Amino acid sequence: MPAISPAKLKLQTTRLAEQYTQPGIFVRELHKLLSSYADNTQRPSQSGAPSALIESYNVHTPVMRQIQLSLKAIPANDPHGALELCDALWSEPFLEHRLLACTMLGLVPISQSETIVTRLEYWTQTVPEHRLLMALIDQGMARLRQESPDMVLELVDSWLKSPDLRFQQFGLRALLPLVTQPGFQNLPAVFHLLTPFLRRSPTSIRPDMVELLSALTQRFPSETAYTLKTTLGAADNPDTAWIIRQVLPEFAKPIQDGLKKAMKNSIKSG
């Protein structure tokens, strides 16, 4: 990989961004740019990262950051053009192209919410790479999450109701940055979505449940404990006690004691 000259890279990415209205040309030029900065010596085993499930140029972070910066203003100035470019980028089976698609989608004004959601729903069906999954959640849903959290909750609801565990996992992960977002208060909706999984939690999504509940415990300890107690007192809840034990250390001692007592009473009544 050649040494990175910030001035040269800025000029290259500025010229690249000028091609955004012609997605086909943009994608072709992006391939050329990424190829010129590709690190062909890096192997996942050497970097400590898992093997990529799609092709990657392995460019260094400053390159991707400068490309993203050059495209930052486009979604606000030309939402339709940005969405067309997003589609072209996502159609390429390369990690960098799809990461850029996620970043741009997350900057599109929510006046285009229906088309944003349509892409989120479609893209989640074709996410082979963990980094892409996290980018789609963290970046692709960024503006939607900030400006229309209720729409995010509706989207999560559809994922959690899917019989596909992969979509359920995606829904739980999409809730995490929402509930940790400053100012978020719609706890009733979140706990309503989580209740079925507090009662029965498939093994494959348990880590995501625990991580999400830990975050809820940090911000809303009393409300989270109340929901766990209520679920514990309901019928048909084989996994509730296990979940409580996983997050119990996150609570202050008085709440811990209350939850322990509730679990003991649940065993007696059972």
Side-chain angles (χ1 to χ4, degrees):
M1 186 192 80
I4 298 174
S5 164
K8 179 182 178 181
L9 178 59
K10 184 177 181 179
L11 179 61
Q12 290 174 312
T13 57
T14 298
R15 289 175 175 171
L16 175 68
E18 291 171 353
Q19 305 296 326
Y20 88 91
T21 58
Q22 303 178 79
I25 295 176
F26 182 98
V27 167
R28 184 187 69 201
E29 294 303 311
L30 178 59
H31 274 295
K32 291 181 181 178
L33 179 62
L34 293 173
S35 180
S36 69
Y37 286 102
D39 185 353
N40 297 315
T41 65
Q42 179 177 315
R43 291 181 172 83
S45 59
Q46 294 173 329
S47 65
S51 299
L53 299 177
I54 60 174
E55 293 290 330
S56 174
Y57 284 102
N58 294 317
V59 297
H60 290 186
T61 301
V63 176
M64 289 298 293
R65 187 185 298 121
Q66 185 59 51
I67 296 173
Q68 291 170 352
L69 186 61
S70 71
L71 300 173
K72 187 176 180 179
I74 294 173
N77 296 329
D78 185 4
H80 295 289
L83 287 168
E84 289 182 4
L85 183 57
C86 282
D87 292 338
L89 289 167
W90 190 265
S91 68
E92 293 295 300
F94 282 81
L95 180 62
E96 289 84 1
H97 289 68
R98 293 191 175 187
L99 288 173
L100 285 175
C102 293
T103 299
M104 289 197 69
L105 187 67
L107 295 172
V108 174
I110 64 166
S111 59
Q112 307 296 317
S113 58
E114 289 187 10
T115 54
I116 295 171
V117 169
T118 296
R119 283 163 177 78
L120 287 169
E121 291 179 330
Y122 175 68
W123 291 1
T124 54
Q125 300 176 38
T126 55
V127 182
E129 174 74 39
H130 179 73
R131 283 179 61 190
L132 270 179
L133 173 63
M134 301 314 297
L136 197 52
I137 292 171
D138 294 337
Q139 299 167 32
M141 301 177 71
R143 191 158 184 174
L144 200 63
R145 186 167 53 243
Q146 292 169 3
E147 299 181 27
S148 186
D150 287 343
M151 191 168 292
V152 173
L153 288 170
E154 290 178 10
L155 191 55
V156 168
D157 183 35
S158 68
W159 286 329
L160 293 181
K161 288 179 178 176
S162 169
D164 189 331
L165 288 174
R166 188 167 59 92
F167 283 101
Q168 293 177 16
Q169 184 181 53
F170 193 89
L172 293 173
R173 291 186 178 183
L175 280 177
L176 185 59
L178 183 65
V179 302
T180 56
Q181 183 171 273
F184 180 78
Q185 296 292 332
N186 195 358
L187 290 179
V190 170
F191 287 131
H192 175 74
L193 293 174
L194 291 182
T195 294
F197 300 94
L198 292 175
R199 297 169 66 178
R200 290 183 175 273
S201 187
T203 303
S204 60
I205 66 172
R206 284 185 176 186
D208 300 290
M209 277 294 295
V210 171
E211 184 177 8
L212 179 56
L213 283 170
S214 294
L216 284 165
T217 299
Q218 294 297 317
R219 285 202 65 196
F220 311 102
S222 298
E223 296 87 345
T224 304
Y226 175 80
T227 300
L228 290 172
K229 286 181 182 179
T230 302
T231 307
L232 194 61
D236 191 24
N237 57 359
D239 296 331
T240 306
W242 181 89
I243 291 173
I244 292 175
R245 286 194 291 270
Q246 306 313 302
V247 298
L248 197 61
E250 306 285 344
F251 290 102
K253 190 174 187 306
I255 297 180
Q256 286 187 32
D257 293 340
L259 286 168
K260 290 176 181 178
K261 182 178 179 181
M263 284 192 289
K264 288 180 180 179
N265 292 337
S266 176
I267 294 173
K268 291 178 182 178
S269 61

